[in-house]
Amino acid sequence: MTDTTQNLAPADAPEAPVVLGPWALIWRKFRKHKLAMFSLYIVGLIYLVAALGEFLAVQDPHKTSVRHTFQPPQGLHLFVKDEDGSTNFMLHAKGMKMELNTELRRRTFVEDESKIIPMGFFVKGHEYKLLGLVDSSTHFFGPKNPRDTVFIFGADRLGRDILSRVVVGTRVSMSIGLVGVAVSLVIGVILGGISGYYGGLADNLIQRLIEFIRSVPTIPLWMGLAAAIPLDWPPLRTYFVVTVIVSMIGWTSLAREVRGKFLSLRNEDFITAARLDGLSDWEIIMKHMVPSFSSHIIASLTLAVPLMILAETSLSFLGIGLQPPQVSWGTLLKEAQNIRSIIEAPWLLWSPGVAIVLAVLSLNFLGDGLRDAADPHAQ
Amino acid sequence: MQQIPMHNNPQSDTAPLVKIRGLKTQFFTEDGIVKAVDDVDLDIHSNRTLCILGESGSGKSIMARSILRIVDNPGRIVEGSIHYRSADGREVDLAKERHGSRLLRDVRGQDISMIFQEPMSSLGPITKIGQQIVETIRLHRNVTKAEAKAEAIHLLDRVGIPRPAERFEAYPFELSGGMRQRAMIAMALSCQPRLLIADEPTTALDVTTQAQILDLIAELKQERQMGVMLITHDMGVVAEVAEDVAVMYSGKIVERGDVYSVFENPKHPYTKALLASAPRLGGIRRRRLPDIRELLPPGYMNNPANLSPDARLEGHKVAEIAPAEPKTHNEEDRILEVKNLNVHFPIGGGVFSKSTDVVKACDEISFDVYRGETFGIVGESGSGKTSLSRAIMRILDPTSGEVLFHRKAKPTVDLTQANKSELRDVWRDMRMVFQDPQSSLNPRLRVIDLVGQCLQKAESLGRRDLQARVSDLLVQAGLKTEFLLRYPGAFSGGQRQRLGIARALATNPELVIADEAVSALDVSIQAQMLNLLQDLQDEFDLTYLFITHDLSVVKHICDRVAVMYQGKIVELTTRDELFANPKHPYTKKLLAAVPNPDPRMRKAS
Amino acid sequence: MKGFILRRILYMIPTLFLVSIVTFVIIQLPPGDYLDVLMTELGEAGVEDSSTMDALREQYGLGQPIYVQYFKWMKAILLHGDFGLSFEKNRPVTDLIWNRLGWTFGISIMTLLFIWITALPIGIYSAVRKYSAGDYIATFFGFIGLAVPNFLLALVMMYISFKYFGQSVGGLVSPEYLDAPWTWDKYVDLFKHIWMPIVVVGTSGAAALIRIMRANLLDELYRPYVVTARAKGMSEFQLLLRYPVRVALNPFVSTIGWILPTLVSGEIIVAVVMNLPTTGPLLLRALLVQDMYLAGSLILIVSMLTVVGTLISDLLLAWIDPRIRYQ
């Protein structure tokens, strides 16, 4: 059976024309994976949104307005009818009127056909700092008149624009994934490396620790830790503590993987051969071992990012992670925590929900594609 | 249960059991169609042993699997017929049967059964051996579980497994390789098949175990009057057991006939070249081994389309290969002294208990190696020869003993006492060639770094100097300088081993330890490698310590030989003395077990 | 085998010890303690009852070195099964938690069964019919299942069932059965409710297990022993179940080890959303008001039961895989 695969090619074929290096081979394999390639673009796009944030926000995400409480999404329209009956192209939204439904004793919104809000690209709006550096008030898309308000994905309890909040929240949610993974990477590689390269007592202790962390249900633990964060802490500190809490389990699987790789590589002939070539332990690790599993680590890291995003979202959703006014997808979903507000304003759920699912899904596809491409045994 | 008296049936001599005509099995891969079996005609008869001989990649294994229709995807039979004549005389075409049809399933295991190369991976890993046999019996025969169990134990006993009732309960991983293959045979025989297909059944086994298994198959064939189709790459095995032979090359059968006519009067140039290059224990020792690729006309091997039976063998090349003159060595000029070397491994013991038992992988080993000679250490798997080579190199720490390394210009070192920096220095003068070139070359480094790594470490050369030095090394090892920037993945097995040799020679060593350096290679490439090693020895005044399980390699390359058995050296003598006059019973047994590629020298059975 | 069980049980002891320490640290983490809070409240109300305070202080060792507090806490638990007092509800923790813990683990175990029942056949199907339409559908839903956080799924399902089916959502039984005795009707009503948290909690686990089963089985499907079984004349279905599936099942079983903690985690967060009478809402509430003995006890017990569950799954694995037993 092992023989049959080799049988397909003559045993001593003339040298293959392949001169590509391992990374080039991985890239070539990855590019064949259509879904993963597509996901790579999506992930790139999401991180671009995270970086630009306010520039892409249609409105000031923090501006409240009682008149627009729970206003439903406004559609965008392309054509307007002039008085003379001719149809002209103009990107616009229709205004919304609030009416009091006396029968149901609640407010409803109806489209106001007469009010046309012209929309445009690169319009003036609220002030912000682009990438945190450059002062600007130009926005990619929005109403041409800065005093108009448009809620493309609807408004929340305080009349804030959901779309803008989802866009701005991307930064916190996506970066927690990255920072969390970076923390996991450092802890995981160091502990996993020690465990796998030296073995013995250190290995045993680290393995017990990992086993312990993995066998304890994470949510209650996280809840306990996160609940200990004082409410009056500045948002940035809360952010970092939440990140650390979230990455507390992320490192275990990484450490296991690194350890496994070290253990299996330690007995490889090419490592022995490198030792006989006179290389020191450090040179062997850096020149031979790390390159041998770095592609796997990258794939695992990519797969760890969505887990962190989900973890942050869960904590913030429960109200024990990030706190308002910090905007993240999790804190946005907290607005949709009870069934009554969802029924009244389902867009509270849809917008951040779709953002999370899209981000996690594309990161998963990307990670899967990377893993397949990095695996030398896979076809 | 349904013993058919073949000898009473006059038809049995004429009508074959299986008649294959125009069989084509092809693999539809992404890179195109691979014609694994290409227009094969073959007859398989009852009560005869047919050997299919071919190198790896010849399609012999796929052909055998096609008969039972167990070729894996994306392989398919695209043309041809496989007519099987069942016990009641009816003929069915197995090639036309639907996948998994009732008839196919009845034929499999009951009429035609099969054993494989790797008994470990071919047996279900977490099902008891006995259970696997019982299951086969009950698939085809209407018996109770208890009856099937009794039958299974009987079969285990028949194939020579001691304490069969106990082993019935064993898992495959609890048995040795030979025992596993016996269990596999017991399973294959459980329904009294009329044809047994054995696909390289002994390739993964030691030579003494191989002899036992081959004997067992021959005996059972005689006893049950069944046909045997044995697939192998080893001409010794063919000469030992075959009655009929078919030689396969590149998906085609290039020669067929009874064993004597094929061995004594081969028609096809490929067969002739194969026979000329077969390693043999008897006869004169030649300075160089004949190499198939040199014997055949140029371009012949790489282009199967050139394969016409009329091509002439380059006969003069065989004639050029002169007998080797005996070498003499100065016994005072020792390069390596191994004194009372012990390597013990603890066994058993857990977290709470300190283990008390040890395995003595090397037990009081002592020998000297003279400068300029090739010293062979031969032994079967588990004899401790690999532990010995690693302990000499100090890749693993010996339990006790001395390893003195005498160098020309530097002081003598006892490797067992050397510290890290001394070891690094020693490792420049004492190099190693590994068994598996695939695993000893890091796939992520370029040739220049792989081969030059030790040079770089020893002399810290500039990139340009390094390139020049590595280029020289590549040329010496018979490779091209263009290969400098390639990755190991772009090379064939033989080329990779050449890289390994180039790497070993990079620091101008005095002693080279070759641990099964040619065992993973096809016979023809093995010959090239041995020739290369000998050329390099002459050129650079090298001393070799050659570790191998293969006596034909020892016969060819070694000057003196130590035979290892269960961690001890049981015999240490010159090569000629070893083959002419073996003293230790184990050495005798070992020599007797090696199959000879000559059907006239067959051991009686 | 006996040695193996013993070893695993001994390994569990340090883990349990660690769990208790971590829990205790969590209890201690918030600045101040509940008595401070109580004191200020009482002070505001104008009540001066220092003797009660002192008694409480003595009981919990508050103000003493931290290891003394830990020791007192553990001693009470181990010797008397006394997990302390819920300050907020002013009742012993034990009165509040057992019923809820029962539901948490009941739902978790039912979810585990649900995951097995769905993941096993789908995973096998996906592997055997690789790249078929069914495989793609399973893979697609697998990815979705992994990508949707379970509280979000809970919200979506509640929304759908309310909006389109008009079913009452939240809780495990309809309001009219809340305090009713256990009758047949109540059981029926329970099952009408309980499937939703089970599906919600189980979806991501099932999605993960489908992928694991598929990958494991694909690893095994082309092994030589499968060819052997085929060459014996077994039918494809027979040999599939007897050999590759059996081998692929082992890593599958070992996943219980990590899936149980995630199920318990998932159950807790989903319970908050669906307002189930389990540990989730109680724990969240306790954490938010810093009712630390209640919160700590819940974390401790949930974690310990999970560790024990993991141990059981390990033993089960050793029981079905001889290779592990013999290590």
Side-chain angles (χ1 to χ4, degrees), chain B residues 108-109 121-122 135-136 140, chain C residues 225 228 230-232 242-243:
Chain B
R108 290 175 190 164
S121 49
S122 299
E135 182 185 270
T136 317
H140 299 291
Chain C
Y225 66 80
T228 309
R230 199 169 287 140
K232 275 197 222 175
R242 284 225 195 137
Y243 290 98

Side-chain angles (χ1 to χ4, degrees), chain B residues 340-583:
Chain B
N340 306 88
L341 194 68
N342 283 297
V343 180
H344 297 177
F345 296 114
I347 47 168
V351 184
F352 305 109
S353 55
K354 195 83 186 153
S355 91
T356 44
D357 261 349
V358 291
V359 171
K360 294 181 176 174
C362 297
D363 191 4
E364 293 290 319
I365 300 278
S366 301
F367 63 89
D368 298 339
V369 179
Y370 309 136
R371 191 173 294 282
E373 75 168 343
T374 301
F375 187 86
I377 295 173
V378 66
E380 294 186 293
S381 59
S383 62
K385 58 188 193 303
T386 296
S387 300
L388 175 60
S389 73
R390 300 207 158 211
I392 291 173
M393 277 294 247
R394 259 298 282 288
I395 300 173
L396 63 85
D397 290 330
T399 313
S400 65
E402 278 177 58
V403 177
L404 298 176
F405 183 36
H406 306 285
R407 290 177 284 183
K408 275 181 198 151
K410 294 181 198 164
T412 297
V413 187
D414 179 0
L415 269 87
T416 58
Q417 305 300 324
N419 62 28
K420 264 192 173 181
S421 68
E422 283 170 334
L423 272 179
R424 282 201 191 121
D425 184 53
V426 166
W427 284 339
R428 281 172 207 164
D429 301 316
M430 185 195 279
R431 301 282 294 166
M432 190 158 200
V433 178
F434 288 83
Q435 168 170 12
D436 184 356
Q438 170 103 44
S439 68
S440 58
L441 298 172
N442 186 345
R444 285 167 191 277
L445 256 56
R446 293 174 193 271
V447 166
I448 181 166
D449 296 312
L450 280 172
V451 175
Q453 186 167 260
C454 49
L455 267 178
Q456 187 80 44
K457 229 21 225 180
E459 304 174 31
S460 48
L461 298 166
R463 196 74 185 166
R464 191 172 293 269
D465 290 335
L466 185 69
Q467 199 163 331
R469 291 280 292 276
V470 175
S471 299
D472 289 347
L473 285 165
L474 290 183
V475 172
Q476 277 166 12
L479 295 166
K480 295 182 193 141
T481 50
E482 299 102 270
F483 294 169
L484 267 182
L485 295 180
R486 290 199 185 166
Y487 292 91
F491 296 95
S492 68
Q495 287 173 323
R496 280 199 206 115
Q497 196 55 297
R498 284 175 192 274
L499 285 177
I501 292 171
R503 174 192 210 167
L505 296 183
T507 47
N508 272 325
E510 295 178 32
L511 176 66
V512 174
I513 297 183
D515 184 2
E516 298 273 15
V518 296
S519 307
L521 304 170
D522 259 353
V523 178
S524 55
I525 301 162
Q526 201 172 334
Q528 291 173 9
M529 252 4 88
L530 292 175
N531 289 340
L532 173 68
L533 284 170
Q534 291 204 321
D535 294 345
L536 292 168
Q537 183 171 42
D538 295 346
E539 196 174 336
F540 297 104
D541 189 24
L542 294 169
T543 308
Y544 287 141
L545 181 60
F546 222 92
I547 288 141
T548 183
H549 72 279
D550 189 339
L551 280 166
S552 62
V553 170
V554 172
K555 160 93 185 176
H556 178 70
I557 199 167
C558 297
D559 300 305
R560 290 188 310 135
V561 188
V563 181
M564 264 189 99
Y565 179 60
Q566 292 184 344
K568 290 192 172 74
I569 289 182
V570 294
E571 186 156 359
L572 196 167
T573 176
T574 64
R575 181 203 63 231
D576 294 335
E577 189 62 20
L578 182 84
F579 285 97
N581 190 13
K583 299 242 164 30

